[in-house]
Amino acid sequence: MKFLTEYRDPELVQEYLKKIHRITTRPWTLMEICGGQTHSLVKNGILDMLPEKITMVHGPGCPVCVTSLSVIDEAIYLAEQSGVIFCSFGDMLRVPGSTKSLLEVKAAGADIRILYSPLEAVELAKANPDKEVVFFAVGFETTAPANALSVVHAAKSGVFNYSILASHVLVPPAMEAILSDDENVIDAFLAAGHVCTIMGMEEYYPVAEKYKIPIVITGFEPVDLLQGILMAVQQLEKGEFKVENQYTRYVQREGNIVAMKTIFEVFEKGDRIWRGIGSIPNSGYEVNDQYKLYNARLKFNLNLPVAEENAACISGDIMKGLKKPKQCPNFGTACKPEHPLGAPMVSSEGACAAYYHYSSSTGRKEVIT
Amino acid sequence: MCLAIPGKIISIDSQQEEVFRNGKVSFGGIIRQVNLSMVPDVKEGEYVLVHVGVAITKVDEKEAMQTLEYLKQMGEMDELDTSETKEKTQSDN
Ligand code: SF4
């Protein structure tokens, strides 16, 4: 498919690997932010082909992984209310809550629908005026415009039996939380391309400056990722710390102004609890006052106790880059995709599931340089 | 979940209000209805990047080509570098 397959060209991939091998002289730890990037790196065997001096650690950019246990419990509570059609992206269904998952609630008879787009949920609300339709609005900055747009559509169409359970998370505050951790090991970031398609590059300059760290906005295909790694390693080898854009076909410095306007029409920033990491100030979006009729938390008077995370899951250390999935004592034993203990084993964008499904674990392959 | 894929705009439906503007987008032959309100200046035949039913940007075709040529351009720069510093170092990179 145009603009997709060209970036998977095996010959080009080899050329990049050679170049990276040639220029790497010292050990560096790079973090890719986005779970989609983690998935692509692991699935395409790139981790095994990079120089041994380069360690890739896998960041918190997987909404399934960072949505807190308390929010999953809220979703389950809403889905169990009679007269509610609860709608969600598919990956959220298997995430374990305190006592059960949405999938188990669905099996027990709740009306839970898996949708491709939040805009479909508004249509569902129109078609079912006697029901309350709730959309589970999770995701990063990439997904926030679509979720916000669903609320604008409902408001403009006079649809009042629609609301969203918002659990949006934002990348730059998470980067800062990781960098200001005493144990931080990260030398450079590959920032999440599609997040920057929406938000642009501006937010990253102060982070690069403050922490003296290269940030390369990077895409998702093998050539994109290798080019991003190459750009980051070049900066590191030269002692630079700039914000660079590898993903120029989709990312402009100023981002998508219309998309940002839609976000701020409906959402306001607030503190957010990240599963495994804890509360990060100003790291999420919540529905603002103007659209409070569409805030499921207010509509259904949600006031559930804060849930305790499962101590057996070390996902926080993994998302901060301090541990690899295989260093978790439960990996592949007590914790498997069929019975996950933690969220990173659920979605294929989660680092644990990516390693479980694809990683050869036999070490690195030879690249002829 | 941040998965977004490029597709070609087949047709744009006229709508009274910009927020509802949508059109048909082909993803390698599979056609879907996509909201186009966030890409105000796109035309039929152009490519957009689509995420959960909403086009979030237009594809910059020139940049798309340049990304693929990045190594080649870098190679040319390397050659310039080496020719300039040839006398000082024998390194051929
Ligand atoms: S393997 Fe399972 S328990 Fe261990 S960190 Fe990953 S998700 Fe958590």
Side-chain angles (χ1 to χ4, degrees), chain A residues 312-315 318 325 328 330-332 335 341-345 352:
Chain A
C313 174
I314 61 156
S315 68
I318 293 175
C328 172
N330 297 309
F331 179 87
C335 184
L341 285 185
M345 191 55 100
C352 299

